[in-house]
Amino acid sequence: MKLVATILLLLLYHPLQGQDLSTYQWKNRLVILVGDTTDVKLKEQKSVLQNRKTELVERDILILPIANTENFQIDLEANFKGLLLIGKDGGVKLKRAFPVAMTELFEIIDNMPMRKAEIKRDKG
């Protein structure tokens, strides 16, 4: 299971344009990075995420960068640049401008009922 998650993690930087978010529902939590690829803060956020691969895999997180929110399924302000956390249920759990601390991101996820159940299941 962890091998599959690791492989997914290695493939996790996919452009999101044209993809249906419901594809990931009940399978993955999504961290969507909204911003231009030349944005320094976006690059810093990606770097921080890449340094936490183990924690991302443990939490079934996929990272999906998007530059154009024109046809995006979630309403965002026209100039929003930041991170969105989408839960396995498809709901927006966090919407914050860059940078977002990993401790904050993981704390939000770890307090979700589904994540608590996953932790309990993995221990038992």
Side-chain angles (χ1 to χ4, degrees), residues 14-112:
H14 300 288
L16 191 57
Q17 280 72 18
Q19 292 187 19
D20 183 1
L21 293 180
S22 66
T23 308
Y24 304 102
Q25 193 169 13
W26 307 117
K27 298 173 194 161
N28 298 101
R29 293 174 183 92
L30 303 178
V31 169
I32 300 174
L33 304 175
V34 181
D36 186 283
T37 56
T38 61
D39 185 336
V40 173
K41 290 182 179 181
L42 171 68
K43 290 178 182 180
E44 290 173 4
Q45 189 74 63
K46 278 185 177 181
S47 177
V48 169
L49 287 162
Q50 288 175 335
N51 290 330
R52 305 295 290 268
K53 290 179 182 177
T54 302
E55 290 104 326
L56 297 174
V57 170
E58 287 173 0
R59 292 169 177 83
D60 298 324
I61 297 173
L62 292 181
I63 301 168
L64 303 169
I66 63 168
N68 181 354
T69 59
E70 189 174 303
N71 295 319
F72 193 51
Q73 300 167 349
I74 298 170
D75 289 330
L76 297 173
E77 298 82 25
N79 60 348
F80 177 78
K81 305 288 186 245
L83 181 147
L84 296 170
L85 171 61
I86 310 296
K88 285 186 175 182
D89 64 357
V92 177
K93 307 303 181 187
L94 176 69
K95 178 178 136 186
R96 179 93 27 92
F98 299 128
V100 176
M102 293 299 93
T103 52
E104 178 184 8
L105 182 69
F106 295 150
E107 184 178 315
I108 290 168
I109 293 169
D110 291 345
N111 283 311
M112 294 176 180

